[in-house]
């Protein structure tokens, strides 16, 4: 997918900040922008919500996993979802990575 960003002269400083941060993190500018958008939209969400946003899991599966978690209070929701084959381990890791941002 390709996306163009149109900005005004007054916004150039933002593009410069993105370029600097992308260089420090050794990322492309587009990856940096996506990272910022992801952080903005996924801030303070729970792992089930993030996985749902990623279209990795259905709402019904999240609800089932939450019920199991209520019964077994010592288990993390993500672990339950992986054990029940609702999500792949790498999908869970990605969601957790997003959540930590």
């Amino acid at each position: 997918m390709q996306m163009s960003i149109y900005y005004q002269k007054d916004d150039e400083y933002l593009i410069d900040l993105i370029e600097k941060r992308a260089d420090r993190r050794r990322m492309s500018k587009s990856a940096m922008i996506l990272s910022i958008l992801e952080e903005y939209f996924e801030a303070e969400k729970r792992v089930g919500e993030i996985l749902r946003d990623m279209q990795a899991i259905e709402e019904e599966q999240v609800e089932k996993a939450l019920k199991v978690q209520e019964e077994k209070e010592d288990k993390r929701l993500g672990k339950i979802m992986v054990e029940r084959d609702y999500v792949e381990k790498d999908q869970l890791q990605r969601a957790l990575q997003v959540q930590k941002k």
Side-chain angles (χ1 to χ4, degrees):
M1 181 190 328
Q2 186 174 339
M3 180 175 69
S4 298
I5 297 177
Y6 299 98
Y7 58 93
Q8 297 177 359
K9 182 82 171 149
D10 294 344
D11 299 323
E12 272 187 27
Y13 78 98
L14 292 170
I15 300 301
D16 291 339
L17 291 173
I18 288 169
E19 287 177 359
K20 289 175 185 174
R21 184 178 284 184
D23 285 344
R24 281 195 309 270
R25 293 186 182 183
R26 295 189 173 143
M27 300 170 78
S28 67
K29 286 184 280 187
S30 57
M32 187 74 248
I33 290 169
L34 289 173
S35 175
I36 292 166
L37 290 172
E38 183 177 72
E39 185 176 334
Y40 176 81
F41 286 108
E42 301 298 338
E44 300 179 18
K45 285 190 178 181
R46 295 180 175 192
V47 71
E49 294 172 308
I50 295 169
L51 285 164
R52 222 181 29 237
D53 289 350
M54 293 169 55
Q55 298 179 347
I57 194 168
E58 299 292 325
E59 178 65 32
E60 180 181 308
Q61 293 170 314
V62 174
E63 295 300 323
K64 287 179 182 178
L66 285 167
K67 285 181 183 177
V68 171
Q69 187 183 39
E70 286 177 15
E71 296 167 6
K72 302 176 181 180
E73 295 176 11
D74 62 326
K75 282 205 171 183
R76 296 211 174 258
L77 186 64
K79 186 173 183 178
I80 294 167
M81 291 188 277
V82 169
E83 287 175 352
R84 292 181 168 248
D85 292 324
Y86 294 161
V87 296
E88 298 292 323
K89 194 173 184 174
D90 62 327
Q91 291 172 314
L92 174 61
Q93 288 173 342
R94 176 70 179 128
L96 291 171
Q97 181 183 29
V98 168
Q99 190 181 45
K100 289 179 183 177
K101 289 182 180 178

